[in-house]
Amino acid sequence: MSAAFRRFRFLTASARRSKARLALRLSAVALLAAALVTGCGGSEGVSAPPPPAPAPAASPEPAPAPPPAQRSGTAVPPIDAGNRAEVVARWQDTYFDNTPFSWSGSVAGCLAGDTTAAFKQAVVRRLNYFRAMAGLPGDLALDTALSAKAQQAALMMDAADRLSHSPGRDWPCYSADGAEAAATSLLAYSNAPARSVSLVDGYLRDRGANNAAVGHRRWILYPPLATVGTGDTPQANAIWIVVPARAASSAAVAWPPRGFMPRPLMEPTDRFSLACPGASFAAATVTLRNDIGQSIAARVESRNDNGYGDNAIVWSIDTARSPPAGWDRGSADTRIEIELDGVANCAAGSRFVYSVTFVTP
């Protein structure tokens, strides 16, 4: 592998809502350093449609909401993804975070140590940014006790240079707390030389052959999710997902969301998804078009892989049948029109028509 590449790996949380654990497969993939990540999220994913999105307004878009008052906390106010100026503003003043990574532990000494409170807050704030972009409350709270166990899990993954939800006692730096955390956490690994909060971005992209179900994304964007723990070492992250009791909800959550999406965060060739509680996507169809109404070939990657948050459908652009030259506008805005039909048992509807416009901030 050349120096221009770095490696990312991800595993998804193994807990189902009503089942104790979910067996998951491990994936390790080498990807471009600029923006590539991969993960392991079980078998093929599910495809589901997001809430209907209005067509772009002809009138000038409103000014963006004012920036957050302060960055010391973890909450992120609502983001209007339909407002291009606001999406770009929040990308610049909320997504970007230069909180330095600092760790008091030692892999060689099997010392889990800890990261600073500021770095833990930065991790949770990044997760809340994703949720706010998806139209969910950006108010996840940090559990320090669970974070201590997640820290042990991250140490084990770093020491072993691999990921597992069921590490054995023969693993380097094994601990019971770390094994417990590994069984209920999203897991990420990177051997990139510079460590930052951006390692967790891979959970939302969910690239890689074993991540067709986008399980990491679905847990982070699970509407009832309220509490997480986080552990970090120089090469690993563990996000403990506290699965709450399911409250009644009619929300359908799309990623990327309807509206505008910063292209550095997600490419139009990445996976799209829509999740809805209790929905069936067995007969759902996905139709894509470019900004002048021409058809774009879609490939449904998952529609029946349930157990990762809400049921979901996952699809992507079939670039073999629809090369990017026909729809990708490069540094200009690239709009993809989406229509999902035939969704069953979703309180938000059976048909979803919306657009996602990828922008270069």
Side-chain angles (χ1 to χ4, degrees):
M1 183 185 305
S2 71
F5 286 76
R6 67 182 177 188
R7 182 178 44 171
F8 292 87
R9 300 182 227 161
F10 293 89
L11 289 180
T12 190
S14 55
R16 286 181 182 265
R17 285 194 300 272
S18 60
K19 299 208 174 19
R21 290 190 185 164
L22 191 62
L24 301 173
R25 299 179 293 181
L26 176 63
S27 170
V29 182
L31 295 169
L32 285 173
L36 298 181
V37 290
T38 182
C40 159
S43 55
E44 295 186 350
V46 198
S47 48
S59 56
E61 63 184 21
Q70 46 81 34
R71 293 179 62 89
S72 60
T74 59
V76 173
I79 299 174
D80 181 4
N83 181 333
R84 189 186 192 283
E86 182 167 338
V87 167
V88 172
R90 296 297 83 82
W91 168 260
Q92 295 170 344
D93 63 35
T94 303
Y95 171 85
F96 279 110
D97 194 315
N98 295 321
T99 303
F101 175 77
S102 177
W103 181 51
S104 63
S106 166
V107 174
C110 286
L111 177 64
D114 207 354
T115 55
T116 63
F119 190 81
K120 291 184 186 301
Q121 288 182 335
V123 170
V124 178
R125 188 164 53 243
R126 179 64 58 87
L127 300 181
N128 280 330
Y129 165 82
F130 294 141
R131 287 174 64 87
M133 279 288 294
L136 298 171
D139 58 359
L140 294 180
L142 178 68
D143 186 303
T144 56
L146 296 182
S147 293
K149 293 184 177 182
Q151 190 67 34
Q152 295 282 351
L155 172 67
M156 292 167 61
M157 306 304 136
D158 196 322
D161 197 33
R162 60 193 175 103
L163 301 175
S164 174
H165 286 295
S166 53
R169 291 181 176 275
D170 59 339
W171 268 52
C173 302
Y174 176 88
S175 68
D177 283 349
E180 179 188 4
T184 57
S185 296
L186 308 182
L187 301 173
Y189 171 91
S190 169
N191 63 2
R195 181 69 161 84
S196 74
V197 67
S198 294
L199 177 60
V200 302
D201 292 3
Y203 292 136
L204 267 288
R205 294 189 185 106
D206 249 351
R207 293 167 178 162
N210 279 2
N211 285 324
V214 297
H216 313 90
R217 176 192 301 175
R218 287 159 64 181
W219 278 125
I220 291 171
L221 301 182
Y222 185 47
L225 185 64
T227 305
V228 297
T230 181
D232 290 273
T233 61
Q235 296 188 130
N237 166 265
I239 300 289
W240 187 307
I241 299 293
V242 180
V243 183
R246 176 83 226 196
S249 171
S250 61
V253 179
W255 190 267
R258 60 180 181 175
F260 297 90
M261 167 59 60
R263 190 156 182 162
L265 183 58
M266 180 173 174
E267 290 288 336
T269 50
D270 283 327
R271 293 178 172 119
F272 294 68
S273 64
L274 184 134
C276 183
S280 170
F281 300 101
T285 59
V286 180
T287 302
L288 306 178
R289 294 183 177 84
N290 66 10
D291 52 8
I292 58 174
Q294 296 174 328
S295 178
I296 300 174
R299 177 179 59 246
V300 174
E301 298 195 34
S302 171
R303 61 171 81 240
N304 298 312
D305 291 294
N306 300 330
Y308 309 96
D310 286 328
N311 297 353
I313 182 169
V314 184
W315 69 95
S316 60
I317 294 175
D318 188 338
T319 55
R321 292 190 293 153
S322 293
W327 50 265
D328 192 336
R329 308 311 179 204
S331 60
D333 290 4
T334 294
R335 189 173 81 247
I336 307 296
E337 303 287 345
I338 302 167
E339 178 180 343
L340 279 79
D341 206 354
V343 180
N345 303 323
C346 174
S350 61
R351 182 171 180 266
F352 302 84
V353 180
Y354 63 105
S355 68
V356 176
T357 301
F358 296 86
V359 303
T360 302

